[in-house]
């Protein structure tokens, strides 16, 4: 017997509160379409049951958002009667409950009506609007009863946008979604009335419309200003959803350039196996996130095709498994015109100068160096972190972030301690910006001078023919305690040798071998300890390694090699100003420590 499905009759709260206070994991959602909070409390994967007002409010957010997506699916599948009936039900519910801004929202929030946040309202409204647009393509029968809801949603989006832009926040990711909600609701209302849509001057090309937002929110290197993978995709997805039924030829050329650049960013940072590193404050793994990436790629491939993103979609489908509802495959014809030319593939080294990321890909290793701005409220204290991935293995990933309501774990995952970065005197880095010193077709060098007073850090990442070299040079005005950190996302073996480098083996779908040495004559303590793994489960332990030295200047040198990359590394020696790597074919390669 099919489970009973009904729409919850209460306003939603803040979804980030849906987290276990004991373990820091997102709680199990249960049946979101049942409209009923899980009996006995929401389940934690460690056996907890959590039931309080904040968690119930968060579950309601997830439930209403699931219903908005479900209605889109029903409309696309032609299940009209059910879709219209539920829309009419939501129209009555909104008129009853969402008559004013939410009085229980946190004071820092831009307040919504159906939910604590206006942002959450907007995301929900986009799904409602697109459901109506799809239904109206066949017939407007029964949609008149939904018009009050659509008109209210447009007004609410406009009111919230006015508050936000009045505060000078045109670049906020909220603005992208408020514009997308305004487009969807007003297009839906026009379609339900059988009229041409005339809202472009308000929602697309107006003073505070989508195009104006994109022009200020996205830097010249293609990154959304916060420098976060998640919020970058969040804004791009809103923009693509807002452009439904738009002919790309009518979009200003500079805006098309912005959308193409944003797509190029995701294509460049994605591994060949479809992993999108969770840079700066996004979820590490989350089923709703997989749905978002799947939708984004489906839309982006229709506007600015990038073959590198196909693997992202396939990985998302694999993560969803039976939960893949196929909506991405039903989004054909979203734009009213031919797509742009296929985007070129990224080269072996890609530098994003304003966001401050460098991506290096070769020899079976996908590496990212973080040297840029802190990232605003979504940044982490992680300058000169080095992230390492195989095609499908997160050897040393950005660990991501827990739901924000868990203050303790959120701070942990924003810390220097949690990242493959460096520390001085075991202290946290200051929020700061590094500097690119040099880059070419096989290497990148960057420095940071403001993470710690009186400390200069330079990190050079370079490819040999079959391996990757990491040279981290730390210098101070007087002796400091310096630490270089390994933060694996997979099982790790560490072996000290009687003579020579420390050896590491990193496991997963692909294996990675590491050799780790340091300045001759400087004692270094290679200490391993258990620590939290990536943020989808802070209770999952991984083996962390800290290489620590008391010195005025020290170079920490590492060489990484995937087994199938080519001639194997046999010798690693650091002397003077350079590192020498020997291979089984008798060849050697030399790398300078810094410019």
């Amino acid at each position: 017997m099919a489970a009973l499905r009904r729409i919850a009759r209460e306003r939603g709260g803040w979804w980030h509160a849906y987290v276990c206070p004991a373990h820091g994991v997102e709680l199990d959602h249960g049946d979101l379409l049942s409209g009923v909070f899980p009996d006995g409390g929401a389940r934690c994967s460690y056996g907890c049951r959590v039931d309080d007002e904040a968690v119930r409010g968060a579950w309601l957010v997830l439930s209403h958002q699931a219903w908005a997506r479900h209605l889109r699916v029903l409309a696309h599948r032609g299940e009209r009667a059910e879709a219209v009936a539920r829309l009419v039900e939501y129209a009555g519910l909104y008129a009853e409950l969402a008559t004013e801004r939410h009085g229980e929202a946190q004071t820092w929030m831009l307040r919504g009506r159906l939910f604590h946040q206006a942002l959450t309202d907007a995301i929900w409204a986009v799904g409602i609007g697109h459901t109506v647009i799809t239904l109206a393509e066949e017939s407007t029968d029964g949609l008149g009863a939904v018009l009050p809801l659509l008109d209210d949603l447009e007004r609410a989006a406009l009111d919230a946008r006015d508050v936000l832009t009045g505060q000078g926040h045109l670049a906020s990711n909220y603005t992208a979604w408020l514009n997308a909600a305004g487009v969807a609701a007003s297009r839906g209302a026009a379609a339900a009335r059988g009229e041409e849509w005339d809202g472009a001057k308000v929602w697309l090309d107006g003073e505070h419309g989508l195009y104006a937002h994109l022009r200020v929110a996205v830097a010249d290197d293609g990154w959304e200003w916060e420098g976060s993978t998640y919020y970058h995709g969040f804004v791009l997805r809103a923009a693509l959803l807002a452009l439904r039924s738009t002919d790309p030829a009518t979009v200003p050329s500079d805006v098309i350039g912005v959308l193409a650049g944003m797509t190029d960013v995701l294509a460049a940072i994605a591994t060949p196996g479809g992993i999108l590193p969770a840079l700066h404050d996004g979820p590490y793994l989350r089923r709703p996130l997989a749905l978002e990436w799947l939708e984004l790629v489906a839309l982006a491939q229709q506007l600015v095709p990038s073959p590198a993103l196909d693997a992202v979609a396939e990985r998302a489908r694999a993560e969803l498994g039976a939960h893949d509802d196929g909506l991405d495959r039903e989004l054909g014809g979203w734009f009213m015109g031919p797509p742009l030319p296929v985007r070129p593939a990224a080269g072996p080294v890609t530098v994003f100068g304003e966001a401050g990321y460098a991506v290096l890909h070769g020899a079976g290793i996908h590496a990212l160096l973080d040297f840029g701005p802190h990232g605003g409220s979504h940044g982490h204290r992680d300058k000169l972190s080095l992230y390492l991935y195989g095609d499908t293995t997160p050897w040393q990933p950005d660990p991501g972030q827990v739901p924000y309501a868990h203050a303790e774990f959120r701070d942990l995952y924003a810390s220097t301690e949690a990242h493959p970065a460096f520390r001085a005197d075991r202290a946290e880095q200051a929020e700061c910006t590094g500097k690119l010193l040099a880059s070419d077709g096989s290497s990148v060098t960057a420095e940071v001078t403001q993470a710690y007073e009186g400390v200069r850090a330079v990190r050079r990442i370079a490819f040999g023919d079959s391996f990757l070299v990491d040279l981290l040079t730390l210098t101070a005005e007087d002796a400091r305690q310096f630490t270089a950190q390994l933060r694996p996302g997979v099982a790790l073996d560490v072996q000290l040798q009687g003579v020579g480098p420390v050896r590491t083996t990193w496991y997963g779908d692909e294996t990675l071998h590491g050799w780790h040495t340091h300045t001759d004559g400087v004692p270094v303590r290679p200490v391993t300890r258990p620590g939290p793994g990536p943020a989808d489960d802070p209770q999952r332990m991984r083996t962390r390694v800290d290489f620590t030295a008391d010195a005025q200047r020290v170079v920490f040198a590492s060489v990484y090699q995937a087994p199938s990359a080519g001639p194997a590394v046999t010798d690693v020696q650091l002397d003077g100003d350079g590192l020498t790597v020997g291979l089984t074919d008798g060849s050697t390669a030399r790398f300078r420590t810094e410019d």
Side-chain angles (χ1 to χ4, degrees), residues 8-35:
R9 303 294 303 177
E10 299 86 21
R11 298 165 92 181
W14 185 41
W15 90 258
H16 280 288
Y18 206 64
V19 60
C20 176
H23 297 100
V25 295
E26 184 174 351
L27 301 167
D28 183 80
H29 294 179
D31 183 0
L32 291 173
L33 299 181
S34 71

Side-chain angles (χ1 to χ4, degrees), residues 45-325:
S45 58
Y46 288 90
C48 302
R49 301 299 291 262
V50 186
D51 187 352
D52 59 34
E53 184 178 353
V55 167
R56 283 177 173 264
W59 186 88
L60 286 166
V61 174
L62 298 171
S63 179
H64 286 304
Q65 298 290 9
W67 265 105
R69 181 176 178 86
H70 182 60
L71 292 177
R72 283 179 59 190
V73 172
L74 292 176
H76 277 284
R77 293 179 179 173
E79 298 181 39
R80 183 182 186 86
E82 173 71 0
V84 171
R86 297 300 190 176
L87 286 170
V88 172
E89 185 177 352
Y90 260 131
L93 183 66
Y94 194 90
E96 175 188 343
L97 298 178
T99 56
E100 57 187 17
R101 290 179 184 166
H102 208 303
E104 298 174 13
Q106 286 89 334
T107 55
W108 58 265
M109 289 181 178
L110 180 65
R111 298 187 176 200
R113 294 176 182 272
L114 188 59
F115 309 99
H116 279 194
Q117 284 183 293
L119 176 60
T120 320
D121 275 36
I123 295 169
W124 179 80
V126 168
I128 297 298
H130 284 303
T131 299
V132 174
I133 294 170
T134 300
L135 292 170
E137 290 171 351
E138 175 187 299
S139 168
T140 60
D141 290 350
L143 297 180
V146 187
L147 285 171
L149 171 62
L150 296 171
D151 292 340
D152 283 346
L153 291 178
E154 183 183 13
R155 279 192 294 271
L158 187 59
D159 289 345
R161 193 185 71 175
D162 285 346
V163 171
L164 193 66
T165 56
Q167 297 170 345
H169 297 313
L170 178 60
S172 168
N173 60 62
Y174 274 55
T175 311
W177 279 96
L178 291 168
N179 279 316
V183 171
S186 60
R187 272 195 186 275
R193 292 185 172 102
E195 301 172 351
E196 290 292 322
W197 181 62
D198 63 357
K201 292 189 180 299
V202 174
W203 297 110
L204 293 181
D205 53 14
E207 180 184 5
H208 299 138
L210 179 69
Y211 301 158
H213 162 74
L214 291 173
R215 287 174 177 133
V216 299
V218 182
D220 289 342
D221 64 2
W223 273 94
E224 196 264 351
W225 70 274
E226 292 165 284
S228 160
T229 305
Y230 177 73
Y231 287 97
H232 180 93
F234 192 63
V235 168
L236 178 57
R237 187 165 63 95
L240 296 175
L241 287 167
L243 292 175
R244 179 172 182 170
S245 303
T246 300
D247 185 344
T250 67
V251 180
S253 60
D254 67 315
V255 174
I256 287 292
V258 168
L259 296 171
M262 295 183 79
T263 303
D264 289 346
V265 162
L266 295 177
I269 68 171
T271 73
I275 297 175
L276 279 170
L279 303 170
H280 284 197
D281 222 29
Y284 184 75
L285 285 176
R286 186 172 183 260
R287 186 172 294 145
L289 177 60
L291 284 170
E292 293 176 14
W293 289 132
L294 196 54
E295 179 180 74
L296 187 154
V297 172
L299 296 174
Q301 297 295 54
Q302 294 182 56
L303 183 66
V304 282
S306 177
L309 294 182
D310 289 338
V312 174
E314 289 307 310
R315 185 176 183 85
R317 289 193 185 98
E319 290 174 8
L320 290 168
H323 296 273
D324 177 11
D325 60 24

Side-chain angles (χ1 to χ4, degrees), residues 388-413:
L388 301 172
Y389 299 83
D391 286 1
T392 58
T393 302
W395 289 312
Q396 182 163 259
D398 187 304
Q401 187 55 275
V402 299
Y404 293 167
H406 202 298
E408 292 83 2
F409 277 121
R410 186 184 183 193
D411 187 62
L412 170 69
Y413 282 102

Side-chain angles (χ1 to χ4, degrees), residues 518-523:
H518 54 271
T519 303
D520 190 32
V522 176

